[in-house]
Amino acid sequence: PLAIVRGRHRFRLLVHGAARGPVELSVAVNADSLATWFRGVLAEVAGWDDASLRLHVEDQAWSADLLRRGDVLGAVTSDPVAVQGCAVELLGTLRYRPAASPEFAERWRRGRGYDWDRMPIVVFNEKDALQHDLLAARGAGPPPVMHRVPTSHDFHEAVRLGLGWAVIPAPQLDPDLASGRLVLLSSRTHVDVPLHWQRWRLDSPLLERLTAAVRAAATNTLTRH
């Protein structure tokens, strides 16, 4: 498989162990996962002395490409089809719901709803299609104003500050709903993103340990439908 050919050195270390120092574990993960449930993986790996993490932040719809190129040995991805030479398992679903600051919501209120065709939106980057998917489901087109904020923390803060509306993952959104910092724009509309773990199909205790850590962290936060 291409990933193993291009990552031959890492393949050898994973199977046989490193003679000098910890083994580097290169993993692709989307920003929202890294900001929420994947932190459980960081906490677990923090107790290991035989591995170091090298994280590649990539949209879940594109992260499998890093596996195909041999740049990473594991990836959190929305792609359920295993890359050649890899194993795949469903981790669960990350639910996103449309939200905005109370002031923003009041500004764009139209009767009992909101002006979905004109409300400014916030997107993470050019690969972030979640807001557009929700608009399409509501029969609305792209709005005239679209802001790009390419870090998870600042993206969340931009919505809090009223720059625009966006779909926010439940682990980040629920505390803000409880405190009143954000409000839902629709109680019925949401976007569910199934997340999978794809990893090289290798006989490696270290990679098995990483997979177990990813699985456990996902179980604590993601939902299964």
Side-chain angles (χ1 to χ4, degrees):
L2 178 60
I4 292 177
V5 171
R6 294 196 59 180
R8 187 172 298 163
H9 178 61
R10 276 173 288 172
F11 167 84
R12 185 169 58 252
L13 292 180
L14 280 168
V15 174
H16 301 294
R20 301 175 183 175
V23 176
E24 181 180 275
L25 301 174
S26 296
V27 176
V29 59
N30 59 305
D32 288 335
S33 290
L34 183 57
T36 54
W37 67 270
F38 200 84
R39 291 180 177 180
V41 179
L42 306 187
E44 177 67 20
V45 177
W48 302 354
D49 58 9
D50 57 350
S52 62
L53 273 180
R54 182 178 182 184
L55 298 181
H56 300 249
V57 178
E58 181 57 276
D59 185 274
Q60 64 275 357
W62 299 79
S63 53
D65 288 343
L66 296 178
L67 278 171
R68 293 186 181 92
R69 297 201 302 262
D71 293 336
V72 298
L73 55 87
V76 176
T77 174
S78 59
D79 190 349
V81 180
V83 171
Q84 185 182 10
C86 293
V88 60
E89 64 179 272
L90 176 65
L91 294 172
T93 298
L94 189 57
R95 173 161 290 186
Y96 293 76
R97 303 175 78 185
S101 69
E103 297 78 12
F104 180 95
E106 191 59 33
R107 175 187 173 191
W108 293 98
R109 184 178 295 279
R110 298 294 183 269
R112 299 179 63 181
Y114 299 95
D115 191 349
W116 292 96
D117 289 308
R118 296 183 62 245
M119 284 192 298
I121 64 173
V122 181
V123 300
F124 188 82
N125 58 24
E126 67 279 0
K127 297 177 181 177
D128 178 11
L130 295 179
Q131 284 70 220
H132 293 84
D133 290 344
L134 186 141
L135 286 171
R138 297 187 63 89
V145 177
M146 180 174 62
H147 305 285
R148 291 183 182 176
V149 183
T151 70
S152 183
H153 171 79
D154 295 318
F155 178 96
H156 187 193
E157 192 63 24
V159 177
R160 285 172 164 177
L161 294 172
L163 186 63
W165 73 269
V167 291
I168 307 293
Q172 288 182 320
L173 177 60
D174 291 346
D176 278 351
L177 294 179
S179 69
R181 293 199 66 178
L182 293 177
V183 296
L184 286 178
L185 297 180
S186 173
S187 59
R188 298 181 180 180
T189 308
H190 59 265
V191 178
D192 283 344
V193 178
L195 295 176
H196 301 78
W197 173 242
Q198 292 213 36
R199 45 153 289 190
W200 289 3
R201 195 184 296 275
L202 303 174
D203 183 15
S204 164
L206 186 56
L207 187 52
E208 292 293 343
R209 204 188 326 153
L210 176 63
T211 295
V214 171
R215 189 182 297 128
T219 298
N220 290 333
T221 304
L222 302 182
T223 58
R224 298 295 292 263
H225 297 292

